[in-house]
């Protein structure tokens, strides 16, 4: 019974390492989706000139962007009558909507939302391009972190679990 308990603890440590490694991958994926979202917003501003509420509704319906839960949440806030800047901010405040993003990623998204819809089309297009550039920096960092730490955290979790097993058996 003792050996079985120790094996379960060892497996838990290994799975913890695996879970941490997955969080690096999910951050990269969320940043890729965020880049696609900002590109879509830029294109909608450039070609369709949709009002911001309609644009958010359109984006929330895109299957490829479903991982960005804050978009759907923002649309729900907009539907309830909240203005866009507050709806955007409130949707980014809920941790479950941004679970794998770092604080600087979220701050970048908040800033993007504050600047969306307050200037003419040309100004908004240039702001979208600026935010795409800033997001690319965060994406490259996330990619490096994933490459650097993803395999390492899995291995460390496994080794700690194995160490627990060896020490207590």
């Amino acid at each position: 019974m003792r050996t079985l308990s120790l094996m379960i603890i060892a497996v838990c440590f290994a799975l913890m390492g695996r879970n941490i490694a997955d969080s690096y991958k999910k951050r990269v994926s969320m940043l890729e989706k965020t880049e696609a979202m900002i590109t879509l917003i830029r294109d909608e501003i450039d070609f369709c000139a949709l009002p911001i509420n309609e644009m958010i509704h359109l984006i929330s319906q895109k299957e490829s962007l479903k991982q960005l839960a804050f978009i759907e949440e923002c649309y729900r806030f907009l539907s309830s009558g909240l203005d866009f800047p507050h709806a955007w901010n409130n949707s980014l405040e809920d941790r479950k909507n941004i679970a794998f993003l770092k604080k600087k990623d979220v701050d970048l998204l908040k800033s993007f939302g504050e600047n969306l819809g307050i200037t003419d089309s040309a100004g908004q297009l240039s702001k979208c391009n600026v935010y795409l550039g800033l997001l690319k920096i965060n994406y490259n960092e996330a990619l490096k972190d994933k490459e650097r730490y993803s395999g390492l955290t899995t291995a460390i979790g496994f080794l700690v679990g194995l160490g627990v097993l060896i020490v207590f058996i």
Side-chain angles (χ1 to χ4, degrees):
M1 188 64 164
R2 180 174 175 236
T3 306
L4 179 63
S5 299
L6 289 172
M7 290 177 94
I8 290 173
I9 291 171
V11 168
C12 286
F13 276 109
L15 290 175
M16 245 190 294
R18 181 70 181 193
N19 193 27
I20 292 169
D22 284 346
S23 71
Y24 286 109
K25 294 173 187 170
K26 288 179 180 172
R27 178 177 179 227
V28 168
S29 176
M30 283 192 76
L31 289 174
E32 287 171 345
K33 303 287 186 201
T34 302
E35 182 180 3
M37 175 202 66
I38 293 175
T39 301
L40 182 61
I41 288 172
R42 183 190 62 196
D43 293 346
E44 289 297 325
I45 290 169
D46 198 19
F47 299 114
C48 300
L50 288 175
I52 194 71
N53 292 10
E54 290 179 35
M55 195 180 318
I56 295 298
H57 177 65
L58 176 76
I59 292 169
S60 72
Q61 300 301 309
K62 294 279 184 191
E63 195 61 40
S64 62
L65 300 177
K66 288 292 183 189
Q67 186 180 1
L68 302 177
F70 66 89
I71 296 292
E72 267 186 66
E73 189 74 17
C74 180
Y75 181 67
R76 276 192 222 109
F77 283 128
L78 288 170
S79 297
S80 70
L82 204 59
D83 64 324
F84 174 73
H86 290 99
W88 184 262
N89 251 356
N90 289 351
S91 67
L92 289 169
E93 292 294 324
D94 193 351
R95 192 66 199 156
K96 73 176 174 13
N97 292 336
I98 52 166
F100 300 103
L101 296 177
K102 287 187 173 183
K103 183 181 180 333
K104 66 181 177 179
D105 302 328
V106 175
D107 290 343
L108 185 67
L109 282 169
K110 284 181 178 180
S111 178
F112 175 72
E114 289 170 3
N115 289 303
L116 195 61
I118 59 172
T119 61
D120 64 346
S121 294
Q124 289 184 64
L125 289 173
S126 67
K127 285 183 183 193
C128 285
N129 290 328
V130 166
Y131 282 100
L132 281 169
L134 294 171
L135 187 66
K136 193 71 170 168
I137 293 169
N138 288 7
Y139 173 76
N140 288 335
E141 176 195 300
L143 210 52
K144 284 180 188 174
D145 286 349
K146 178 186 138 194
E147 291 169 2
R148 186 178 306 147
Y149 301 121
S150 190
L152 184 64
T153 55
T154 302
I156 288 174
F158 176 75
L159 289 174
V160 168
L162 189 61
V164 166
L165 195 62
I166 291 170
V167 166
F168 289 107
I169 287 187

